Structure formats: structure tokens, C-alpha cells
Amino acid sequence: MTGCKKDAGAAGKLTWQGLFYAAAPAFLYTALTNAVHTLLAASGRFSSGIRLQAVSVSVCLFVFSWYAVRVRLAVRDTDKRRDMYRYPAAFCYVVAVVMCGVVNNYLFSMIMSVVRDFSSGYFEVVKVFYTKDLWMEILTLCIIGPAAEELVYRGFVYQRLRERGSQQAAAVWSALLFGLMHFNLVQGVYAFVLGILLAHITERTGGLATAAAAHMAANLVSVLWTETDWLDILNQSGSRQYAAALICLALMGIFLSYGNRMTRLEKKQGMGQKRIK
């Protein structure tokens, strides 16, 4: 994402006006999604909540994609000199995000009994989205939804924040907004943690493709874990659940570290080829 880089000396000047400007696409995305969802529900043509969500998010994805082209939003790294390490780095980052999602699911299952009264919004979401219509869930929750959210939150929001402040501030604020816009405690915490990691990946890779692929993969694992028996190996309890969480956390750290190493090598390769020219 070539447009989000900023000189170190200019960082740290993020203002409340800048925050509001950066957050505007997220507010618009939420408002537009809800408006389309309400209109479609009122038409009576959709009996399934997941189908309503699919159409609503698709409309928003089309609108924001059009606007991204119009304003020439930087969504990919155009440097062709760094292809050697790009795909290994992307693979490592995708696995790291998936492991992060699995760890979060273990943690939530451990504390759900304590905060269940504060998670009613999450259970309402589960009732709407998890309807045993597996392919529609995959299309909506694992493809269309992540694509739209990455364009909005790691594209528009993060890039606008990055233009006005440091990488750390942009990552935290964009992730916080990403979490808040889920409007329930469980998904909010999950989205915040994932948002920090996805912002880091966006910064390291210079584009949205890897972050979007990682987001899709994490959601796919969550859907398959919930709706099928394909990932029964992840269903652990007691001390095994704690052990599984620690193993996944270690794997997340390992793959994230290797992804960072690949991107460093990628940049060094690009700089070396630039000097030769």
C-alpha cells in the first residue's frame, strides 16, 4: 500500500479531526449496510438472515470498490522487484492469523460462562449467521464480508490514519474502531485483536491482498469449526484446551516471525535491485 507510508518525523500528529475523517468510511459502511438490510427485510423477499447479509454487504462492497477506484486508493504494492519472498511471507501471515483466531476462540470459550450476560449481542449474531446453510455462510462470512471489511478498515480507515500518524497509532485506532463496529463484547474483542494483526500485515506487505486472504482463512476455520465436524480435532476441554491454546499461540508467533523475516528480505532484495539499476 504505497500511499500509507509516512516519514517518521511527521508521525504522531493525529488529531481528533483526523480520527473523525479516518473513521467516516467505517460509519458510512455500517450505516449503508444496515439501511440496505432494512430495506430488503421490509420487501419480504428474503426469509434468511444470512442471505440478507450477503446482499447487503455485496452492495456495500460494490460501492466502496467504486469509490476506491475513483479516489485511487492504494490497495496493493506495485513494486515488481520483490516477488521472490512475497508468497512465502503471505503464507506465513495467513497461518499466523488463523492461529490467532483459534486462540481467541479458545479464550472465549474459557471465559464465556463469566461474561455470558454481557454477550447477548453475540448470541443474536450467531442465530442469524449460523443457519446450517454452509455454502451461503462461506460466501458471506468468508469471502464477501472479509473483502468488504479489509477494503474499509485496512484500506480507507488505516490508510487515512497512517497518513496522519505512526504505524502503531493507526493500527490501534483502526482495530479499536473495527472492534466497536461489531457492537457486542465477544466479536468486539476478537475483531480488535485480529485488527491489530491485520494492520501489521498490511503495513509489512504494502497491500490489502494478504490481509484479506488471512481474514477470509480465519473466518473459514471458524465457520467450519462451528458448522461441521471437519475440525473436531480443535474441540478440546479442560487442561487440553489450555495446552491447545498455548500451542496455537506459539505457532502464531513462529509464523508471524517468519512472515516478518520474509518481508525484510523482500525489501532488501528490492533495494539491492534498485541500486543495480
Side-chain angles (χ1 to χ4, degrees), residues 32-52:
L32 183 59
T33 303
N34 289 335
V36 174
H37 190 282
T38 301
L39 289 173
L40 292 175
S43 71
R45 296 183 178 181
F46 294 87
S47 58
S48 168
I50 191 67
R51 293 176 185 272
L52 270 172

Side-chain angles (χ1 to χ4, degrees), residues 11-14 19 158 161-162 164-176 196 199:
K13 296 181 179 179
L14 192 61
L19 283 172
Y158 179 76
L161 289 167
R162 190 69 176 92
R164 290 164 173 74
S166 67
Q167 174 188 346
Q168 292 78 12
V172 170
W173 282 108
S174 62
L176 181 61
I196 293 286

